Amino acid sequence: MAKGASLSGFPEWLPQERVVEQRVIDTLRHIFELNGFLGIETSAVEKGSSLLKKGETSKEIYLLSRLQDVGNENDTPIEERLGLHFDLTVPLSRYVVENSGTVAFPFKRWQIQKVWRGERPQEGRFREFYQADIDVVGNGELPAHYEVDVPLTMVEALEKLRELGVPQATVHANNRKLSEGFYRGIGLNDIEGVLREIDKLDKIGADEVAKLLISQCGASEKQAHACLELAQLSAENGTQLREKFGTLCKAHGVAEDGDAYALAIEGLETLAMIVDEATKIRPGAVIADLKIARGLDYYTGSVYETFLEGAESLGSICSGGRYDNLASQGKKKYPGVGMSIGLSRLMSYMLHTAHATASRVSPAAVLVAVWDEADRAASNAIARELRNRGIAADVAPTSVKLGKQIKYADKLGIPYVWIPSTTDDNGEKTREEVKNIVTGEQIPACATEWNPADEYTHQTVVIAHNN
Amino acid sequence: MAKGASLSGFPEWLPQERVVEQRVIDTLRHIFELNGFLGIETSAVEKGSSLLKKGETSKEIYLLSRLQDVGNENDTPIEERLGLHFDLTVPLSRYVVENSGTVAFPFKRWQIQKVWRGERPQEGRFREFYQADIDVVGNGELPAHYEVDVPLTMVEALEKLRELGVPQATVHANNRKLSEGFYRGIGLNDIEGVLREIDKLDKIGADEVAKLLISQCGASEKQAHACLELAQLSAENGTQLREKFGTLCKAHGVAEDGDAYALAIEGLETLAMIVDEATKIRPGAVIADLKIARGLDYYTGSVYETFLEGAESLGSICSGGRYDNLASQGKKKYPGVGMSIGLSRLMSYMLHTAHATASRVSPAAVLVAVWDEADRAASNAIARELRNRGIAADVAPTSVKLGKQIKYADKLGIPYVWIPSTTDDNGEKTREEVKNIVTGEQIPACATEWNPADEYTHQTVVIAHNN
């Protein structure tokens, strides 16, 4: 991270780090568009009333006030004030309703933007970070196959990032209906409460969660342990999932003719479909993991979290789910399913653990040297010729000694220094040459014909193995 | 603009409009990097103390408050609060100071990000918009050639945008030292005041500006008219500029041996150099226009505005200048020169006047039809095969009648519908075919070999001449 970034929680990268972030964004966009997702951007702000819809995170909103209104901010109710968006799902639901007459449904969209959360400073969490989202939103209804299409697109995108240092990703899927049906089947009714506590499993462990289920959600010890048993259930295919769940229901006396069981089976069948369909294409990439709860209360069906092999401590780097009630307009509903990559968190891992960095600091492949300020126009002309041919070129800042100009190129990682023709001490024109300052090789060259070696053509992302 | 965007001043585009914006951003980035500029992003927020440094615009800042601090915001002095950046120059100056030990100088950077201004709602101006900036910042000193390199890079970038509907751009350059020297030479001392009034010339006309110079800046009628005469001066080359300025100085009795004249000549020579150097490369692209004042008080030398042929009423779409005192660290100064494209304003022109739009709404070149939900996996496999070959493909949302699936493709502008093999009424396998729904042509095809026609390969930007 850029040293001395004075505002904690607001990450800034050095230019060579920003190259990595830009490459990640470009790669995600490419895969999303290859899969037919449309790109949009929404404004950074939403009305307070939109932002406050969603329960828990509402505490983390940044509200805006115009400098001229300072002191009178509170004349306006929070619902009417503007705040920065804290995710890209709430803005999407507003955008879809506003443009429902124009966009085609199902509306497949990608969106990569910064979001802001007014976390407490001492927590050292990001207060500004990139999210990379895909969602599919239907008009009235949304076919279940999108619940497997979305995680598969994300897996494909994360797979593409492996060459940039991202480890193998596995999507862990669950279904809210399955959980809710089971909880109701064993006699629990505070579904949101139970999900909220189960969500803490990785953080505080099973014993603490059991205590909370008992103290906060009115569970008996037996019910609490049934919830934990469900959470421990995972499966790599539908058959295994059905078997394990059936056994669990029997063990805890869930009646097979009740509404609760029917709800659970509805969720189970969707989850089984997801895992089985995904297995056909990328075996092991999407697994059923019944501890996935997602703290947010707007999910109504499938929920997803994504973990990286060997970097599980990062937590989920790509999460989401299906939401049937987030967007509506009168009686019309716009159900959706989506996932969101926490890009800044992924970036921290890539930069600081995987040591991804730019192959060179400057995008320029060539620095054109300048013999004398009077000759600058000649050096500019060479640079222009190279640029016309798609070769990024910079021109030396000053006509200091050639050695110093080479040092400037070296500091920027520019591999070639172009040495224009000049007049030597005997009044003879010298040859125009280009020097590879990595290998030391120096050859005669002409700006209309010369090309850099393949590995130096573009600024790329490399993994610095020497760190 | 997306219909019904509920927050005035916060523009949002439809997906097909966003394609244009993305293409503009990609194009600018490409040209900036070709010229050796390094990309950075800074956080959206700065400390109040940084934002308030700059005079006039300070009124337009959005300050942030965490939801939990509402009611107590004013316990924190504005200088300590966070606000959204209103430009990319103030953040750059902070970034450079913070990273001065790491980055190479001169630091050439590009930055394309949104900025926010808390304008009064009724003005109907953008409160959130993209800026696309390039700056070169030196450590201690900065060679004058960057004062022509920067506008030439911007002209090159704007030239590239002409195929997207942007008219020919001309940079109008002036120099603060020239203006200040002249004003002092005719006996005026409120330089900032005079520049501020001259800046209003295009808006309110010469007569009103003269009145203001007299009432606000202590000018006599004669002095006011001298200022206006200077502002009316323009030149296409250095020789012409020197002649016209010399005549003006003589006419108004500016003493040629005074400090004021020396300052004016220093500015004049830089301006002459800029125009002459630019003329060698792109004749007419950069002209001297002495009415250019720039309201912002941090410019100390060259100032630039850029106008589009036939769209002068848009105002300047790319402005900037040289600033020697914006960033400093103890005694060390970081002089810079930069220009900033007001991208959202340019976008409005491109979309609504030039009628630039996406060649199709969806990035997908192909929609793979689905005969039956049971056959979806086969359609998915075809789409995957196409994507593996770099052809963006979507799969029909549902297995409704083929006609309806074609309608969905048509609404998204997807040119091809892929018709998988199926079993006909006689139990025979049908041929796999692809239909160009624009031309109606339908041919047998195989996903491992077929390619779309060149004009349909990628989503591009087109000018809708029928509007």
Side-chain angles (χ1 to χ4, degrees):
Chain A
M1 200 176 309
K3 272 177 207 157
S6 47
L7 299 172
S8 87
F10 293 90
E12 275 179 355
W13 315 119
L14 288 169
Q16 57 271 39
E17 298 172 328
R18 171 63 187 154
V19 170
V20 179
E21 185 172 69
Q22 185 73 65
R23 186 64 45 96
V24 170
I25 290 172
D26 290 346
T27 303
L28 294 175
R29 168 180 153 198
H30 174 67
I31 297 296
F32 297 160
E33 298 202 331
L34 213 44
N35 280 273
F37 287 83
L38 283 57
I40 67 165
E41 270 202 8
T42 57
S43 68
V45 304
E46 296 289 329
K47 270 196 167 175
S49 51
S50 294
L51 297 171
L52 290 168
K53 262 189 201 163
K54 206 165 109 177
E56 281 218 79
T57 45
S58 62
K59 291 170 211 147
E60 300 172 357
I61 297 169
Y62 276 119
L63 291 172
L64 302 187
S65 38
R66 294 174 59 219
L67 185 59
Q68 282 154 324
D69 296 333
V70 162
N72 305 316
E73 294 99 323
N74 299 307
D75 296 356
T76 312
I78 289 172
E79 288 71 18
E80 291 296 313
R81 288 178 64 179
L82 299 177
L84 295 173
H85 57 214
F86 55 83
D87 75 358
L88 302 177
T89 313
V90 170
L92 171 65
S93 68
R94 175 191 51 74
Y95 183 94
V96 163
V97 170
E98 280 178 6
N99 297 291
S100 60
T102 312
V103 302
F105 288 99
F107 181 52
K108 296 176 68 170
R109 86 87 177 77
W110 68 266
Q111 188 171 358
I112 302 179
Q113 278 184 258
K114 282 182 178 166
V115 304
W116 293 268
R117 296 194 185 168
E119 306 262 0
R120 277 184 300 151
Q122 61 265 42
E123 284 177 17
R125 298 179 69 174
F126 288 139
R127 302 163 97 185
E128 170 177 273
F129 55 99
Y130 265 111
Q131 284 194 335
D133 284 27
I134 52 171
D135 286 79
V136 185
V137 179
N139 185 349
E141 54 190 21
L142 182 72
H145 66 82
Y146 289 114
E147 290 171 64
V148 64
D149 294 349
V150 164
L152 281 177
T153 302
M154 278 301 195
V155 166
E156 184 184 341
L158 290 166
E159 192 66 26
K160 272 276 170 199
L161 296 182
R162 291 190 65 184
E163 61 196 59
L164 307 181
V166 174
Q168 184 157 6
T170 307
V171 175
H172 294 232
N174 189 8
N175 191 293
R176 281 277 175 95
K177 289 176 185 169
L178 193 169
S179 306
E180 176 171 348
F182 182 80
Y183 300 154
R184 291 200 190 280
I186 60 168
L188 288 169
N189 289 310
D190 179 8
I191 307 304
E192 274 186 32
V194 175
L195 286 169
R196 194 171 48 239
E197 305 309 340
I198 290 291
D199 205 22
K200 299 174 184 164
L201 206 48
D202 279 345
K203 231 178 186 173
I204 62 174
D207 289 351
E208 292 302 313
V209 169
K211 282 183 202 162
L212 287 169
L213 288 170
I214 294 165
S215 66
Q216 303 297 314
C217 311
S220 69
E221 201 156 316
K222 208 175 158 235
Q223 286 170 323
H225 281 98
C227 292
L228 288 168
E229 270 186 70
L230 181 75
Q232 274 144 20
L233 200 159
S234 69
E236 282 179 21
N237 60 59
T239 311
Q240 202 183 62
L241 178 66
R242 286 185 196 96
E243 278 172 19
K244 287 187 178 182
F245 186 72
T247 308
L248 196 67
C249 285
K250 280 202 178 64
H252 293 281
V254 177
E256 292 194 8
D257 54 356
D259 289 349
Y261 185 78
L263 183 69
I265 292 302
E266 193 189 327
L268 179 113
E269 285 307 323
T270 303
L271 184 56
M273 178 278 289
I274 290 172
V275 177
D276 287 344
E277 287 301 311
T279 300
K280 286 181 198 161
I281 293 156
R282 290 178 190 265
V286 183
I287 63 165
D289 178 354
L290 276 63
K291 77 166 175 295
I292 304 302
R294 305 299 303 141
L296 304 174
D297 55 11
Y298 60 59
Y299 295 120
T300 52
S302 295
V303 284
Y304 317 99
E305 294 193 347
T306 308
F307 300 94
L308 299 180
E309 196 179 310
E312 289 81 2
S313 62
L314 264 186
S316 171
I317 52 95
C318 178
S319 312
R322 176 164 180 144
Y323 43 90
D324 281 353
N325 305 318
L326 190 63
S328 61
Q329 196 174 26
K331 275 188 182 170
K332 194 183 277 180
K333 284 196 175 172
Y334 297 96
V337 57
M339 292 179 82
S340 174
I341 297 179
L343 211 55
S344 299
R345 200 191 301 186
L346 195 60
M347 273 297 296
S348 288
Y349 178 88
M350 294 173 74
L351 295 176
H352 304 134
T353 305
H355 303 296
T357 188
S359 60
R360 56 183 187 242
V361 175
S362 170
V366 181
L367 180 79
V368 182
V370 178
W371 285 113
D372 187 281
E373 284 306 320
D375 300 330
R376 178 166 295 278
S379 298
N380 283 339
I382 293 166
R384 265 200 314 284
E385 188 60 50
L386 293 169
R387 289 173 196 144
N388 284 343
R389 296 174 48 237
I391 301 164
D394 202 354
V395 177
T398 60
S399 52
V400 289
K401 270 193 245 165
L402 192 59
K404 279 204 172 177
Q405 299 188 36
I406 289 173
K407 252 190 190 161
Y408 178 74
D410 189 46
K411 186 153 191 196
L412 285 167
I414 300 174
Y416 294 98
V417 173
W418 197 278
I419 302 160
S421 169
T422 186
T423 310
D424 68 14
D425 295 341
N426 305 322
E428 308 259 338
K429 278 276 235 175
T430 62
R431 283 196 315 188
E432 195 166 338
E433 295 190 319
V434 65
K435 182 186 179 81
N436 180 324
I437 66 169
V438 185
T439 63
E441 188 193 29
Q442 185 163 337
I443 54 164
C446 168
T448 54
E449 285 172 8
W450 173 86
N451 283 305
D454 285 350
E455 67 264 42
Y456 298 121
T457 308
H458 297 290
Q459 194 184 23
T460 58
V461 171
V462 296
I463 305 298
H465 286 292
N466 55 336
N467 281 34
Chain B
M1 200 177 307
K3 272 176 207 156
S6 45
L7 299 172
S8 88
F10 293 90
E12 275 179 354
W13 314 118
L14 289 169
Q16 57 270 39
E17 297 171 329
R18 171 65 186 154
V19 170
V20 180
E21 185 172 67
Q22 185 74 64
R23 186 64 46 94
V24 171
I25 290 172
D26 290 346
T27 302
L28 294 176
R29 169 180 153 198
H30 174 67
I31 297 296
F32 297 160
E33 298 202 332
L34 212 46
N35 281 272
F37 287 83
L38 282 57
I40 67 165
E41 271 202 7
T42 57
S43 68
V45 305
E46 297 289 328
K47 269 195 169 176
S49 51
S50 294
L51 297 171
L52 290 169
K53 263 188 201 163
K54 207 165 110 175
E56 281 218 80
T57 45
S58 63
K59 291 170 212 149
E60 299 172 358
I61 297 169
Y62 276 118
L63 291 172
L64 302 188
S65 37
R66 295 174 59 221
L67 185 59
Q68 282 152 326
D69 296 332
V70 162
N72 306 315
E73 294 99 323
N74 300 308
D75 296 356
T76 311
I78 288 172
E79 288 70 18
E80 291 296 312
R81 287 178 65 178
L82 298 178
L84 295 174
H85 58 213
F86 55 84
D87 74 359
L88 302 177
T89 312
V90 170
L92 171 65
S93 67
R94 175 191 52 73
Y95 184 95
V96 163
V97 170
E98 280 178 8
N99 297 291
S100 60
T102 312
V103 302
F105 289 98
F107 182 52
K108 295 176 68 169
R109 85 88 177 76
W110 68 266
Q111 187 171 358
I112 302 178
Q113 278 184 260
K114 283 182 178 166
V115 303
W116 293 268
R117 296 194 185 168
E119 307 262 359
R120 277 183 300 150
Q122 61 264 42
E123 283 176 18
R125 297 179 70 174
F126 288 139
R127 301 163 96 183
E128 170 177 273
F129 55 97
Y130 264 111
Q131 285 194 335
D133 284 27
I134 52 171
D135 286 79
V136 185
V137 179
N139 185 349
E141 53 191 23
L142 183 72
H145 65 81
Y146 288 115
E147 291 171 64
V148 62
D149 293 349
V150 165
L152 281 177
T153 303
M154 278 301 194
V155 167
E156 185 184 341
L158 290 166
E159 193 65 28
K160 273 276 171 200
L161 296 182
R162 291 191 65 183
E163 61 196 59
L164 306 182
V166 174
Q168 185 159 3
T170 306
V171 175
H172 294 233
N174 189 9
N175 191 292
R176 280 278 175 94
K177 289 177 185 169
L178 194 170
S179 306
E180 177 172 347
F182 182 81
Y183 300 153
R184 290 200 191 281
I186 59 167
L188 289 170
N189 289 310
D190 179 7
I191 308 304
E192 275 186 31
V194 175
L195 287 169
R196 195 171 48 236
E197 305 310 340
I198 291 292
D199 205 22
K200 299 174 184 164
L201 205 48
D202 279 344
K203 235 178 184 171
I204 62 174
D207 290 351
E208 291 302 314
V209 168
K211 283 183 200 162
L212 287 169
L213 288 171
I214 294 164
S215 65
Q216 304 296 316
C217 311
S220 68
E221 201 155 316
K222 210 178 155 232
Q223 287 170 324
H225 282 98
C227 293
L228 288 168
E229 270 185 70
L230 182 74
Q232 274 145 20
L233 201 159
S234 69
E236 282 181 21
N237 60 59
T239 311
Q240 201 183 65
L241 178 65
R242 286 186 196 96
E243 278 171 19
K244 287 188 178 183
F245 185 72
T247 308
L248 197 66
C249 284
K250 280 205 176 63
H252 293 280
V254 178
E256 292 196 7
D257 54 356
D259 289 350
Y261 185 79
L263 182 69
I265 293 303
E266 193 190 327
L268 178 111
E269 286 306 323
T270 303
L271 183 55
M273 178 278 289
I274 290 172
V275 177
D276 286 343
E277 287 301 311
T279 300
K280 287 182 196 159
I281 294 156
R282 289 178 191 263
V286 183
I287 62 165
D289 178 354
L290 276 63
K291 77 167 176 295
I292 304 302
R294 304 301 303 145
L296 304 174
D297 55 12
Y298 61 61
Y299 295 119
T300 53
S302 294
V303 284
Y304 317 99
E305 294 193 347
T306 308
F307 301 93
L308 300 179
E309 196 179 310
E312 289 80 3
S313 62
L314 263 185
S316 171
I317 53 94
C318 178
S319 312
R322 174 162 182 147
Y323 43 89
D324 280 352
N325 305 316
L326 190 63
S328 61
Q329 197 174 25
K331 275 190 183 168
K332 195 182 277 180
K333 285 196 174 173
Y334 297 97
V337 57
M339 293 179 82
S340 174
I341 298 178
L343 210 56
S344 299
R345 200 191 302 186
L346 196 60
M347 273 297 296
S348 289
Y349 178 88
M350 295 173 74
L351 296 175
H352 304 133
T353 306
H355 303 297
T357 189
S359 59
R360 55 185 188 240
V361 175
S362 171
V366 181
L367 180 79
V368 183
V370 178
W371 285 112
D372 187 281
E373 284 307 319
D375 300 330
R376 178 167 294 279
S379 297
N380 283 338
I382 292 166
R384 265 201 313 285
E385 189 60 50
L386 293 169
R387 289 173 195 144
N388 284 342
R389 297 176 46 237
I391 301 163
D394 202 354
V395 177
T398 61
S399 53
V400 288
K401 269 193 247 165
L402 191 58
K404 278 203 171 177
Q405 299 188 35
I406 290 174
K407 253 190 190 161
Y408 178 74
D410 188 47
K411 185 154 191 194
L412 285 166
I414 301 174
Y416 294 98
V417 173
W418 197 277
I419 302 160
S421 168
T422 187
T423 310
D424 69 12
D425 295 342
N426 305 323
E428 307 261 337
K429 278 275 234 177
T430 63
R431 283 196 313 189
E432 195 167 338
E433 295 189 319
V434 64
K435 183 187 180 79
N436 179 324
I437 65 170
V438 185
T439 63
E441 188 193 30
Q442 185 163 337
I443 55 163
C446 168
T448 54
E449 286 172 9
W450 174 86
N451 283 305
D454 285 349
E455 67 264 43
Y456 298 122
T457 308
H458 296 290
Q459 194 183 24
T460 58
V461 171
V462 295
I463 306 297
H465 286 292
N466 55 336
N467 281 35

